[in-house]
Amino acid sequence: VRRTRVYVRDTSVISPYALLLFGGAIDVQHTQKLISLDSWIRFRAVARTGVIFKELRTLLDGVLSSQVITLLRELIQAETAR
C-alpha cells in the first residue's frame, strides 16, 4: 500500500527481473548507477542494465499486443465460455 508512506501488508518473493519487466516506469540514473521503478523501488546496477530492460519491455509490449496474442485470448475465452 502506498500512501504518504509505504506499508507492506502481504509479501512475496519476486525476482528483480520480473519487476523490471512488468513493474512501473523505469528511470535510469546513469551517474548514480541506479535504476528506479515508479520513483520508489531502487536497484543498484550499471546503466546498461536499465537500458536493456527498457528495450526488452518495448519488445515484449510489441509481442503481447500482437494479433497472435489477441487471437489466442479469443480462443481461450471461447473455450471457457462453453
Side-chain angles (χ1 to χ4, degrees), residues 2 15 20 24 34 39 47 60 62 69-70 72 77 80:
R2 186 173 183 194
S15 164
L20 288 167
L34 194 67
S39 301
L60 189 59
I69 298 299
T70 303
L72 285 171
Q77 288 173 342
T80 58

Side-chain angles (χ1 to χ4, degrees), residues 60-73:
L60 189 59
D61 286 346
V63 169
L64 293 176
S65 64
S66 73
Q67 189 175 11
V68 172
I69 298 299
T70 303
L71 292 172
L72 285 171
R73 186 181 315 124

Side-chain angles (χ1 to χ4, degrees), residues 9-25:
R9 303 262 169 109
D10 296 310
T11 60
S12 298
V13 176
I14 299 174
S15 164
Y17 289 170
L19 287 174
L20 288 167
L21 284 174
F22 303 106

Side-chain angles (χ1 to χ4, degrees), residues 47-62:
R48 182 176 176 200
T49 302
V51 172
I52 288 169
F53 273 99
K54 286 179 98 167
E55 182 63 25
L56 281 171
R57 273 192 176 187
T58 301
L59 295 170
L60 189 59
D61 286 346

Side-chain angles (χ1 to χ4, degrees), residues 3 5 17 26 28 33 36 40 44 55 59 76 79:
R3 300 172 86 49
R5 301 176 97 189
Y17 289 170
I26 295 176
V28 180
K33 295 185 179 177
S36 64
W40 69 283
R44 285 240 172 254
E55 182 63 25
L59 295 170
I76 291 168
E79 186 66 26

